[in-house]
Amino acid sequence: MRVLVVEDEPKVAQALKSGLADEGYEAVVAATGEEGFYQASGTGFDIIVLDLMLPGRDGLEILQTLRRGGVDTPVIILTARDGVEDRVRGLDCGADDYLVKPFALAELSARIRALLRRGRTDEALRLKCADLELDLVSRSVTRGGRSIGLTGREFELLEYLLRHAGRIVTRSQLAAEVWKVSRRATPLDNVIDVHIARLRKKVDHGRGPRLIHTVRGVGFILRDETGGAQA
């Protein structure tokens, strides 16, 4: 799940990015109002964490413009303004929730989970291929109704494969998108192959038709060759 954090205080922004990463989210930080608006106007974010007092463009102005433009991504406002009128104004401008600084990261994470459950359909929060299902909120994986225990990296790897089900993904793509390493002094090919082998064993071994396939010399593909539905 991708979270856009629009926050101009470097220490706060870094703490949020690091804390959300520990919770399994991919956090992208925008340090100015203009950058935040540009990022939020695009696609690919599941939730936006928006500070109000920003250089270049006020948070409420960003929020109002996004809503007028049809962007319905859930937004949590972060601010030091704790007056009732401030909260009401933020909610009236289109915010889904409001958190006053200072706050505990655990509370922000809980509110993110609540908004994702409320604001997205069950289908959008689950990725499927045949009888394999990955739940993005609970971070759980099942196949044929039976739970599969994955490490954090294995979960991210499987999520990426499921999001690209039916398409070949290369090792370079996995290095950049899952390991977040775009320029590699030392190739991660062996590391990626080891993780794929472990993931394949957990997902495919003794659990029905094979879903994770190696495309020799190219990369990997997750697909149901029996013709089962995939999403």
Side-chain angles (χ1 to χ4, degrees), residues 9-225:
E9 290 291 336
K11 289 184 178 180
V12 175
Q14 185 55 46
L16 286 172
K17 182 175 183 178
S18 176
L20 290 171
D22 290 341
E23 293 289 324
Y25 300 103
E26 178 189 347
V28 176
V29 173
T32 68
E34 288 297 334
E35 183 185 358
F37 177 73
Y38 173 78
Q39 293 271 20
S41 299
T43 59
F45 290 104
D46 299 283
I47 202 157
I48 299 169
V49 178
L50 178 65
D51 190 22
L52 290 187
M53 301 177 68
L54 296 164
R57 199 164 188 172
D58 181 79
L60 287 181
E61 179 188 348
I62 293 172
L63 181 56
Q64 287 177 307
T65 306
L66 289 173
R67 294 306 191 225
R68 284 198 298 266
V71 176
D72 60 359
T73 306
V75 173
I76 298 177
I77 286 179
L78 295 184
T79 183
R81 304 173 185 171
D82 60 356
V84 174
E85 291 184 0
D86 293 317
R87 290 196 291 271
V88 169
R89 187 181 176 200
L91 295 170
D92 283 346
C93 286
D96 297 273
D97 204 348
Y98 198 107
L99 197 55
V100 177
K101 297 178 181 178
F103 57 88
L105 182 63
E107 182 179 3
L108 174 61
S109 296
R111 294 190 183 211
I112 288 175
R113 290 193 297 271
L115 280 179
L116 291 174
R117 286 194 298 269
R118 187 180 75 194
R120 303 283 298 278
T121 65
D122 287 343
E123 289 75 16
L125 294 172
R126 292 186 178 90
L127 301 175
K128 301 178 183 179
C129 180
D131 60 348
L132 175 66
E133 182 172 322
L134 181 148
D135 189 304
L136 292 164
V137 174
S138 65
R139 291 183 65 80
S140 61
V141 177
T142 60
R143 181 155 190 200
R146 297 176 61 187
S147 178
I148 300 175
L150 300 181
T151 66
R153 182 72 75 190
E154 290 167 350
F155 184 93
E156 293 168 357
L157 181 55
L158 181 58
E159 178 185 348
Y160 190 83
L161 291 172
L162 279 166
R163 289 190 183 276
H164 296 79
R167 289 174 283 171
I168 296 173
V169 297
T170 66
R171 290 176 177 83
S172 294
Q173 284 177 281
L174 294 174
E177 300 298 331
V178 178
W179 272 262
K180 310 302 179 188
V181 178
S182 56
R183 296 183 179 179
R184 297 177 288 166
T186 302
L188 292 175
D189 293 356
N190 290 338
V191 174
I192 292 171
D193 288 350
V194 168
H195 278 78
I196 286 286
R198 291 174 179 170
L199 183 61
R200 179 185 283 126
K201 184 176 181 180
K202 292 182 178 182
V203 169
D204 286 338
H205 184 67
R207 296 178 182 268
R210 191 156 55 99
L211 298 178
I212 300 174
H213 306 268
T214 299
V215 181
R216 192 174 299 277
V218 182
F220 310 95
I221 185 170
L222 189 147
R223 66 185 174 204
D224 176 17
E225 294 188 334

